[in-house]
Amino acid sequence: MNYLFIIVLLLLNLLVIYHKPRIWLWSLVMLAYFIGVYPLIGTSINLIIYVLLAIITAAAIIFGNIPLLRGLVTRLIYNRAKKILPSISETEQLALDAGDSWWEKDIFQGKPDFNKLHGLQKFTLSQEEQDFLANETNQLCAMVNDWEATHNVKDFLTEVWDFMRTKGFFGLVIKKEFGGKGFSAAAHSEIVMKVATRSSSAAVTVMVPNSLGPGELLYHYGTEEQKNYYLPRLARGEEIPCFALTGPTAGSDATSIPDLGIVCMQEFNGKVTLGVRLQNVDKRYITLAPVATLVGLAFQLKDPDGLLGGVGRVGITCALLPHDHPGLEIGNRLLPLDQIFMNGTVRIKDSFIPMDWVIGGQKMAGEGWRMLVECLSIGRAISLPGCGTANALLSSVTTSAYALVREQFKVPIGSFEGVEEGLGKIGGLTYMMNATRQFTVAAVDSGIRPSVASAIAKYHLTENGRTVLNWAMDIHGGRAIIMGSNNYLGRMYQGVPIAITVEGANIMTRNLMIFGQGAMRCHPYIRKIYESLMQENGLAEFDKAIFGHIGYFAQNKTRALFHAFTAGKFAAGYNSHFNYYYKQITRLSSAAAVVSDMVLIVLNGNIKVKERISARLGDAMSYLYMASATLKYFKDQGEPAADEIFVKWSLENCLYLAQHALVDTLANFSVRPLARFYRFALFPYGLPHSAPSDYLEHKIAKALLSDGETRQQFKRQIYLNPVMDDPVGRMEQAFQAALAAAPVKTKIIQAMRNKLLPKANPAKNAAKALELGVITQEELEKLELSAKYTDEVIQVDEFSPYELGPKNAHPSWSTTN
Ligand SMILES: Cc1cc2nc3c(=O)[nH]c(=O)nc-3n(C[C@H](O)[C@H](O)[C@H](O)COP(=O)(O)OP(=O)(O)OC[C@H]3O[C@@H](n4cnc5c(N)ncnc54)[C@H](O)[C@@H]3O)c2cc1C
């Protein structure tokens, strides 16, 4: 009876905490329990009952009597916490405040609601957007000869520039009322992505005016006058914009820009005008600067004479300068890794601008950083995830084609297990990346500014783009290493570190931003606790938040342990073929929520310096986010059967990596007893998830090598002109010819097995096979066409020394040739 009493007591505790961690409710239930069971257990454990009753009564008094509790406990914690509160600068605060939280909040709080997931906005394109992709975007891709541009001209041809300007590529997201295309984020992402599959340089050129730059800043913060003047000109391509923030001493730490703007009165156009004297402005890496006609500039505004008069304030400020403004020096180019999008420097030694050149006018003086981070939470969700996915889609399509047509040891290289491994990962990652891209972009189209989700998408899609491209390069071998017009991967490969570095360099994004921002924006109490500590007298709010947090932690912990011990069997799932995976996402996200909370409680403000712990927790969150994106994408696509192996791969990969991120967090957490406890409690039967199996990767490789439905879906999103004078089109033609010839080869091989034909390469036996009636004339032609195309696509470019420039060649070439 005694044991039963204790067991029921424990279960009751778990139940109450699981559902509603209100301390008064808990006390009430406990009292009711004691009163109810007392007559049953008699006097045998009276002492235990008295002690428990005393504890419960004390808890009820303390927790029920808020003023008393505040006096006793909360004040002590509050005062101590105030002393050790980590400093957050105003700029950090602005970054943390920028944007909205979205699906990642469900993940972070450990309680994903999958009905909500499937109710979220779908990725859709209007008819007009689809037409633009099929017409203007394809035309632009056809006009760009990336090799010619990057190797010989070091620029796009004038007609390419004109086409981009006049067809609206620089005004994709400018609203129709200002003469822009008014396209959705979905269309913006698809267009940049398709262009990137043709030329990374062209994609960057299109991307910059449409993301973080004058257009976006003007639209959101510009004065009516500025909008009405500049937006139509930008939309028509009459202005080419750039935005200059980064300088030699301020890169990732962009708020430390030293470029100075001093508020002063000066004569301008014959009138004494309130404005800004720009001094010692030194910017570098500025995309489009060498050709820009409109320069967006960020600088530190100072007001030593107090001329702002209460309108506007000092701090980072953004202004727009015409390219021919006296004192503005632009035009010098920087060459980013053999890409030829325009990139250069912006410098000003000393120059005056009127106050109404400040974006948003005087009232927005000092608001520059907020403006930039708010725009970044949108732009970061679109362009670079699009470029990363472009790498993956093009790699999937071309690498599978090459793996089929390229034979070594008398068989297509795609049939070797080692190559299959690469193909499996390429296919699986491409699927997951495309799903994540669409999911995140749809958030923007639903009116969300997804600050954490955009950081997840930017980091993981550029990093996974690099992984996929590495596999693609390895499978192509020398064919992708030798540069020239035949090489469709080389420049893309060179461009990868650019996407990794811009719009928040990846190491910083992973180590500082994802979990840091996630904790502040998605946790229901951390931010409230922090804000209460920042206040002069925030005890009441602190009290509410801290006990809310305790309840939340207790609830999450109970749920996580319950799901761990029941292996996620009772976790919230979704009525689907993939229900097991839905449940496992719930299980791991509840585990991640508990580990995150434990880390936040123990490390406190030190989480800022414990970047590797923060990075791993961010990884766990990100993989669960991408797993959810995959499930949503699959459902939104109508659950095509052909996609199932790709979905399974993505889910297994995400769950495996999320689990490892948590285990590695615990393995590296300094408070060892706590870490050991959670390691056991969250994974009591060992680690449940393995990496995707060899068999699954084999099936994905097979699906890619046979031009399965999912590969065809990938093909529809890239620029693919199936003609022999286009390098990617040629590879696809060879692939299709090889597929058509495969059954013919099988017939010949069968005839060889039946000893009708001598043992030899099927191609060598073809004429004889025709003679013996093993194959028809039409089949022979298929075989010959495949051999011809294969021979063409395995070739690499050759150059005479003069073509590569005699002036750069070794002196012996110049004299002897
Ligand atoms: C091709 C190209 C185009 C660009 N276009 C523009 C543009 O149009 N306008 C513009 O203003 N800027 C532009 N940039 C600048 C770009 O935004 C910066 O390069 C970027 O912010 C990183 O700065 P950095 O290169 O000086 O690297 P650094 O800041 O020196 O960083 C070096 C490394 O340290 C890491 N790191 C830094 N701080 C931390 C931290 N706290 N925790 C962990 N890791 C950290 C970074 O992640 C990075 O890996 C461009 C850059 C390039 C290369």
Side-chain angles (χ1 to χ4, degrees):
M1 183 58 100
N2 293 1
Y3 291 123
L4 186 65
F5 168 79
I6 303 278
I7 289 167
V8 174
L9 185 69
L10 279 174
L11 285 178
L12 213 56
N13 261 295
L14 286 178
L15 203 72
V16 174
I17 292 172
Y18 188 98
H19 282 290
K20 220 146 184 63
R22 296 280 175 271
I23 208 77
W24 60 264
L25 177 71
W26 171 72
S27 308
L28 218 69
V29 172
M30 290 301 103
L31 280 172
Y33 176 69
F34 282 118
I35 293 163
V37 296
Y38 185 74
L40 300 177
I41 53 175
T43 53
S44 61
I45 53 165
N46 267 354
L47 188 62
I48 298 174
I49 288 187
Y50 287 137
V51 173
L52 284 173
L53 261 178
I55 293 171
I56 287 165
T57 314
I61 290 169
I62 293 174
F63 292 99
N65 186 340
I66 298 301
L68 177 66
L69 178 67
R70 248 175 243 157
L72 286 178
V73 186
T74 323
R75 189 176 293 279
L76 264 175
I77 308 174
Y78 181 73
N79 290 338
R80 166 123 184 82
K82 244 177 146 38
K83 277 192 202 130
I84 57 166
L85 180 71
S87 63
I88 293 192
S89 66
E90 194 192 345
T91 44
E92 278 178 305
Q93 187 68 48
L94 281 172
L96 292 172
D97 286 345
D100 308 305
S101 48
W102 184 60
W103 174 252
E104 71 279 10
K105 191 170 182 170
D106 280 53
I107 299 286
F108 196 96
Q109 297 194 356
K111 237 179 156 180
D113 171 356
F114 296 114
N115 286 316
K116 178 176 144 193
L117 174 76
H118 290 301
L120 293 171
Q121 169 134 349
K122 284 187 189 172
F123 179 94
T124 41
L125 297 173
S126 69
Q127 191 54 51
E128 189 192 351
E129 292 168 341
Q130 289 177 36
D131 293 345
F132 191 87
L133 262 168
N135 300 315
E136 285 89 339
T137 312
N138 275 354
Q139 285 166 24
L140 173 64
C141 291
M143 287 170 84
V144 174
N145 180 335
D146 197 52
W147 172 249
E148 192 58 22
T150 55
H151 181 66
N152 290 329
V153 189
K154 304 282 181 215
D155 194 354
F156 297 115
L157 299 176
T158 314
E159 52 265 37
V160 173
W161 277 109
D162 287 346
F163 190 84
M164 288 194 273
R165 291 154 72 123
T166 55
K167 296 293 175 182
F169 280 91
F170 294 160
L172 296 175
V173 295
I174 295 179
K175 296 278 172 277
K176 284 203 156 104
E177 60 192 283
F178 296 108
K181 292 278 165 205
F183 282 170
S184 61
H188 179 190
S189 164
E190 289 282 298
I191 294 164
V192 168
M193 187 174 80
K194 186 180 254 193
V195 175
T197 62
R198 175 68 167 175
S199 159
S200 314
S201 294
V204 173
T205 305
V206 169
M207 168 183 128
V208 167
N210 288 295
S211 51
L212 189 63
E216 274 292 281
L217 293 171
L218 277 172
Y219 181 71
H220 292 287
Y221 311 100
T223 61
E224 284 310 305
E225 210 182 345
Q226 289 170 338
K227 285 187 203 178
N228 291 334
Y229 181 72
Y230 281 120
L231 290 178
R233 294 171 64 81
L234 285 164
R236 289 194 297 267
E238 287 167 19
E239 300 277 5
I240 295 189
C242 72
F243 192 83
L245 170 67
T246 309
T249 57
S252 302
D253 184 11
T255 56
S256 67
I257 49 170
D259 320 271
L260 206 57
I262 296 173
V263 181
C264 63
M265 302 293 292
Q266 189 170 316
E267 196 171 300
F268 186 73
N269 289 344
K271 267 204 317 207
V272 176
T273 309
L274 177 68
V276 181
R277 208 164 186 97
L278 294 166
Q279 289 176 335
N280 302 324
V281 172
D282 187 4
K283 305 288 193 185
R284 66 175 182 183
Y285 306 154
I286 310 307
T287 305
L288 294 184
V291 292
T293 58
L294 186 62
V295 178
L297 190 71
F299 53 89
Q300 292 284 1
L301 190 73
K302 301 244 155 95
D303 183 19
D305 301 324
L307 299 175
L308 288 177
V311 182
R313 58 196 190 108
V314 298
I316 292 180
T317 300
C318 301
L320 289 177
L321 281 71
H323 68 113
D324 51 2
H325 183 61
L328 174 64
E329 298 166 29
I330 56 171
N332 282 351
R333 281 183 70 177
L334 302 172
L335 282 181
L337 285 170
D338 268 337
Q339 310 290 313
I340 49 88
F341 61 83
M342 291 293 154
N343 190 279
T345 54
V346 171
R347 294 190 182 109
I348 298 173
K349 279 197 193 75
D350 193 345
S351 179
F352 177 83
I353 59 164
M355 192 56 87
D356 52 11
W357 288 11
V358 166
I359 300 178
Q362 186 179 338
K363 72 174 186 328
M364 293 308 278
E367 297 290 333
W369 188 242
R370 181 171 64 81
M371 289 153 61
L372 290 171
V373 288
E374 279 178 0
C375 284
L376 188 64
S377 57
I378 298 174
R380 195 172 48 187
I382 303 170
S383 307
L384 296 169
C387 290
T389 312
N391 294 352
L393 289 167
L394 187 79
S395 296
S396 286
V397 172
T398 55
T399 311
S400 49
Y402 187 70
L404 186 76
V405 301
R406 174 68 174 167
E407 292 190 358
Q408 288 293 284
F409 305 98
K410 299 194 181 70
V411 288
I413 57 168
S415 56
F416 296 119
E417 277 204 2
V419 174
E420 247 184 27
E421 179 191 358
L423 287 173
K425 294 192 195 322
I426 287 175
L429 283 173
T430 303
Y431 193 88
M432 181 198 80
M433 292 167 68
N434 199 29
T436 305
R437 174 186 70 90
Q438 293 203 3
F439 184 54
T440 315
V441 160
V444 175
D445 280 332
S446 68
I448 302 279
R449 294 166 306 161
S451 56
V452 183
S454 68
I456 292 175
K458 192 271 162 168
Y459 175 80
H460 286 276
L461 301 196
T462 52
E463 286 296 337
N464 281 309
R466 165 151 70 181
T467 305
V468 169
L469 210 36
N470 278 342
W471 275 108
M473 291 292 292
D474 291 357
I475 292 175
H476 276 80
R479 173 70 175 73
I481 288 168
I482 302 304
M483 288 305 283
S485 60
N486 274 306
N487 189 341
Y488 39 71
L489 291 181
R491 287 282 187 254
M492 191 175 245
Y493 180 72
Q494 287 176 308
V496 165
I498 298 174
I500 301 273
T501 300
V502 299
E503 291 189 11
N506 273 12
I507 297 179
M508 188 178 73
T509 301
R510 172 170 178 254
N511 285 267
L512 205 65
M513 305 305 294
I514 297 178
F515 182 73
Q517 262 192 344
M520 274 291 190
R521 298 211 59 90
C522 305
H523 195 287
Y525 295 102
I526 294 288
R527 197 185 169 83
K528 288 182 186 157
I529 292 174
Y530 187 80
E531 279 170 2
S532 65
L533 288 169
M534 297 288 282
Q535 288 171 32
E536 193 56 36
N537 193 1
L539 185 61
E541 279 83 42
F542 178 77
D543 179 84
K544 231 160 100 191
I546 203 83
F547 281 96
H549 190 178
I550 291 169
Y552 168 79
F553 182 56
Q555 190 187 21
N556 264 343
K557 192 167 160 178
T558 315
R559 206 180 41 239
L561 265 52
F562 174 72
H563 292 327
F565 278 89
T566 53
K569 285 207 166 39
F570 304 101
Y574 190 77
N575 185 12
S576 137
H577 180 55
F578 287 111
N579 193 16
Y580 164 77
Y581 295 99
Y582 281 98
K583 284 172 181 275
Q584 291 304 314
I585 293 174
T586 305
R587 174 191 171 171
L588 284 186
S589 67
S590 69
V594 167
V595 177
S596 304
D597 243 333
M598 185 267 288
V599 163
L600 285 168
I601 291 167
V602 175
L603 289 183
N604 222 293
N606 279 338
I607 189 72
K608 257 176 81 177
V609 288
K610 287 283 173 200
E611 285 195 346
R612 298 192 67 181
I613 294 284
S614 167
R616 290 185 181 106
L617 289 172
D619 286 348
M621 226 168 121
S622 304
Y623 290 122
L624 297 171
Y625 174 86
M626 291 190 284
S628 317
T630 304
L631 286 163
K632 165 123 174 94
Y633 176 80
F634 176 62
K635 189 160 191 304
D636 290 351
Q637 295 295 308
E639 308 193 346
D643 284 9
E644 284 186 12
I645 46 173
F646 291 82
V647 176
K648 199 161 185 259
W649 188 96
S650 306
L651 296 171
E652 290 188 354
N653 183 53
C654 287
L655 292 171
Y656 172 70
L657 293 173
Q659 162 195 277
H660 265 283
L662 290 178
V663 168
D664 290 348
T665 304
L666 294 171
N668 289 283
F669 191 60
S670 51
V671 187
R672 296 311 302 148
L674 264 181
R676 278 196 202 98
F677 167 75
Y678 280 102
R679 173 68 173 77
F680 168 74
L682 296 174
F683 301 103
Y685 315 121
L687 300 182
H689 300 290
S690 316
S693 67
D694 294 356
Y695 181 60
L696 190 53
E697 290 185 346
H698 161 78
K699 289 213 286 193
I700 290 180
K702 281 265 168 283
L704 290 180
L705 289 168
S706 57
D707 199 21
E709 245 181 69
T710 313
R711 182 179 184 274
Q712 293 181 32
Q713 195 181 298
F714 292 168
K715 271 196 294 192
R716 286 193 285 276
Q717 295 178 83
I718 67 170
Y719 173 70
L720 180 57
N721 187 10
V723 293
M724 288 306 281
D725 59 4
D726 176 281
V728 176
R730 190 157 55 237
M731 184 57 77
E732 184 62 17
Q733 294 286 81
F735 176 65
Q736 294 300 339
L739 285 175
V744 188
K745 277 189 184 172
T746 311
K747 276 188 179 179
I748 297 177
I749 292 167
Q750 196 53 48
M752 290 189 316
R753 280 198 192 122
N754 295 341
K755 305 221 169 15
L756 289 173
L757 290 168
K759 268 195 179 168
N761 186 312
K764 288 203 174 130
N765 261 327
K768 187 107 182 123
L770 179 69
E771 215 179 285
L772 294 174
V774 173
I775 59 171
T776 63
Q777 177 63 33
E778 198 190 334
E779 287 174 327
L780 176 71
E781 282 164 17
K782 283 186 183 168
L783 213 54
E784 285 173 347
L785 189 72
S786 170
K788 179 175 174 292
Y789 283 1
T790 296
D791 189 51
E792 285 188 35
V793 295
I794 61 168
Q795 303 304 327
V796 295
D797 296 279
E798 296 176 23
F799 303 90
S800 79
Y802 294 109
E803 276 181 278
L804 293 179
K807 68 177 183 309
N808 299 324
H810 190 275
S812 60
W813 281 109
S814 335
T815 49
T816 56
N817 291 283

